[in-house]
């Protein structure tokens, strides 16, 4: 089966610019996650969707980050305006279970560099 | 909030030596998962532990979940160069099964 797709793979922007990332989860997976992984650290959950509803966004910096999952499939994560500390890999993951624990399948990530 | 600590941060071994990484949570967990991330890659699921005191094996890998469901360990017997990567534990304690990842242990293996 096809894995989680993400684009772009790399993005370089200047601070205060905006950027958007796209994710297509594995077909049939109800839950979609966006993580931020700073170099040398573990992934940090930014937002979790179940179908097209938000389950958890407690660690999403809502003054600059936004995310949506239209029709419960694809998702986009936007940063506006970007700061230097947003430089990280943004990982999208999906899982089959809706509302339960289970294996998360990660995409290849988008490496963001903010200059 | 929930915190997951992982030690050691780095471990370098000779091929054939054993390796262990430890994970501790500040709160009782409903389950714990382990992931492996190769250099330049993305996290890949290894296993999930749910029961108190649970032990699971995958070939040379042994995973344990503590009796109090607050700690876990991953042990690799006779490491190989293919074991190189960062091993993350990720704990879940809430009703929405939100995962909190540790900082990971970077394993390097000298052939």
């Amino acid at each position: 089966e096809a894995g989680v797709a993400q684009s772009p793979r790399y993005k370089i922007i200047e601070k205060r610019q905006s950027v958007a990332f796209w994710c297509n989860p594995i077909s049939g997976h109800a839950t979609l996650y966006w993580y931020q992984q700073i170099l040398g650290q573990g992934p940090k959950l930014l937002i979790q969707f179940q179908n097209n509803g938000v389950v958890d966004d407690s660690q999403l910096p809502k003054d600059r980050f936004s995310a949506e999952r239209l029709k419960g499939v694809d998702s986009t994560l936007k940063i506006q305006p970007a700061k230097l500390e947003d430089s990280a890999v943004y990982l999208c993951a999906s899982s089959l279970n809706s509302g339960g624990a289970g294996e998360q399948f990660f995409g290849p990530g988008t490496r963001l560099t903010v200059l | 909030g929930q915190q997951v600590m992982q030690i050691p941060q780095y471990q370098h071994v000779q091929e054939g030596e054993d390796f262990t990484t430890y994970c501790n949570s500040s709160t009782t967990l409903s389950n714990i998962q382990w992931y492996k991330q190769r250099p330049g890659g993305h996290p890949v699921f290894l296993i999930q532990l749910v029961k108190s005191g649970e032990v699971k094996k995958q070939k040379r890998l042994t995973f344990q979940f503590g009796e109090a469901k607050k700690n876990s360990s991953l042990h690799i017997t006779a490491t190989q160069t293919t074991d190189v990567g960062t091993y993350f534990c990720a704990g879940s304690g809430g009703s929405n099964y939100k995962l909190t990842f540790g900082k990971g242990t970077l394993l390097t293996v000298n052939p």
Side-chain angles (χ1 to χ4, degrees):
Chain A
E1 66 181 2
V4 176
Q6 288 188 248
S7 67
R9 291 295 309 279
Y10 306 91
K11 190 73 177 178
I12 300 174
I13 62 173
E14 296 190 346
K15 61 183 179 183
R16 291 188 289 272
Q17 286 187 324
S18 62
V19 64
F21 313 126
W22 173 82
C23 173
N24 182 232
I26 293 173
S27 177
H29 280 197
T31 310
L32 184 148
Y33 315 80
W34 282 103
Y35 289 89
Q36 179 192 59
Q37 186 174 26
I38 292 172
L39 187 64
Q41 299 193 16
K44 182 181 90 170
L45 181 69
L46 294 176
I47 190 166
Q48 177 178 336
F49 293 94
Q50 183 173 314
N51 297 310
N52 61 348
V54 175
V55 174
D56 189 299
D57 64 357
S58 57
Q59 298 188 103
L60 186 74
K62 298 180 187 62
D63 58 333
R64 298 185 300 107
F65 287 63
S66 64
E68 60 182 8
R69 189 183 185 195
L70 299 176
K71 301 180 182 178
V73 182
D74 292 9
S75 177
T76 56
L77 175 70
K78 296 179 182 177
I79 307 175
Q80 182 179 13
K83 292 185 175 182
L84 296 176
E85 59 260 36
D86 298 332
S87 293
V89 175
Y90 290 84
L91 294 162
C92 179
S94 68
S95 65
L96 181 62
N97 296 1
S98 61
E103 175 179 0
Q104 294 188 18
F105 295 82
F106 283 82
T110 297
R111 183 176 297 278
L112 174 66
T113 302
V114 182
L115 303 175
Chain B
Q2 181 177 292
Q3 292 186 344
V4 175
M5 286 74 70
Q6 206 174 336
I7 57 170
Q9 193 172 357
Y10 308 97
Q11 184 78 60
H12 177 75
V13 300
Q14 289 292 127
E15 190 172 21
E17 291 182 338
D18 292 356
F19 159 76
T20 304
T21 174
Y22 301 90
C23 184
N24 283 284
S25 170
S26 58
T27 59
T28 302
L29 300 170
S30 56
N31 70 79
I32 194 158
Q33 298 181 8
W34 286 90
Y35 289 80
K36 177 183 178 182
Q37 185 172 26
R38 286 201 161 95
H42 55 274
V44 175
F45 176 84
L46 294 176
I47 208 159
Q48 177 174 281
L49 304 172
V50 178
K51 299 177 182 177
S52 169
E54 189 170 15
V55 178
K56 286 189 176 180
K57 292 190 176 183
Q58 289 180 351
K59 297 182 180 179
R60 295 178 294 104
L61 277 61
T62 302
F63 304 84
Q64 293 188 340
F65 201 8
E67 293 290 340
K69 301 184 74 173
K70 294 182 73 173
N71 62 287
S72 181
S73 65
L74 158 60
H75 179 82
I76 302 178
T77 304
T79 54
Q80 300 175 358
T81 55
T82 52
D83 296 325
V84 165
T86 300
Y87 292 84
F88 293 99
C89 63
S92 170
S95 58
N96 64 2
Y97 293 96
K98 167 185 170 181
L99 281 183
T100 299
F101 280 77
K103 287 190 174 182
T105 297
L106 172 60
L107 172 66
T108 56
V109 180
N110 199 32

